[in-house]
Amino acid sequence: MPAETFRWRPLQPADLDAVMAVAGVVHPTFPERRETFADKLALAPDCNFALEGGDGALAGYAVALPWRTGEVVALDAVYGALPEPCDVLYIHDIALLPAARGRALAGDAVALLVAAARRRGLAQLSLTAVYGADAVWARHGFGEISNPGLRAKLASYGEAARYMVRTTEA
């Protein structure tokens, strides 16, 4: 029996219920409302992707939006507008269901987001690593930026949260 195939495609508003289902499995300790994902999709449709399985079901997503370096996108926040000016593509989340893990799909998502950042003229990507995943993100070219001002901004993500950045050239 062949392994299931997956493909990344642009995220659509019709995918939001499936995004919520994936988020509920992958991030039960960081719940967010549907409106927060809808907001990010509306603000940057070219920076949001769905991972579709061979059966057409959503198996993951990558959600990002242009933001400001050193600023953290808050959990469960609806912004309505991007800050001005934006100088970084902030990866809010890459989430994969267990069946999609171990297939280099997160790396493919990072490549899609690097390309989105380049199209927008952004030289860097940033994110908040949770669950001790900073080592995973380091393998994708991200490095931790640590300073006292960031600690307070990261508080809602937990004690182990790390702010990380990489260039679009890495």
Side-chain angles (χ1 to χ4, degrees):
M1 180 177 204
E4 183 172 2
T5 59
F6 295 92
R7 72 175 183 96
W8 287 104
R9 61 166 175 78
L11 188 67
Q12 302 296 319
D15 296 320
L16 290 175
D17 289 338
V19 165
M20 294 304 298
V22 171
V25 171
V26 177
H27 298 301
T29 57
F30 296 116
E32 294 189 278
R33 294 168 293 141
R34 186 180 193 279
E35 292 81 9
T36 65
F37 289 101
D39 182 58
K40 289 166 185 63
L41 179 57
L43 292 174
D46 60 316
C47 300
N48 292 268
F49 300 92
L51 180 65
E52 189 173 79
D55 61 358
L58 203 74
Y61 59 82
V63 173
L65 69 164
W67 212 246
R68 289 187 177 161
T69 301
E71 295 292 324
V72 175
V73 173
L75 284 171
D76 202 34
V78 173
Y79 290 100
L82 296 174
E84 291 291 333
C86 295
D87 62 353
V88 66
L89 185 66
Y90 185 91
I91 300 174
H92 183 65
D93 194 11
I94 296 177
L96 304 175
L97 289 176
R101 295 180 190 155
R103 301 168 183 258
L105 295 165
D108 293 344
V110 170
L112 286 169
L113 295 170
V114 166
R118 286 179 181 153
R119 282 191 301 275
R120 283 182 169 257
L122 303 171
Q124 291 187 315
L125 294 92
S126 65
L127 57 86
T128 299
V130 296
Y131 307 128
D134 44 308
V136 173
W137 288 110
R139 288 196 297 270
H140 293 288
F142 288 84
E144 181 180 356
I145 304 295
S146 181
N147 67 51
L150 278 172
R151 268 313 340 138
K153 295 175 184 177
L154 294 170
S156 67
Y157 285 92
E159 191 65 32
R162 301 288 180 259
Y163 182 79
M164 302 182 79
V165 175
R166 72 162 273 178
T167 70
T168 57
E169 302 306 316

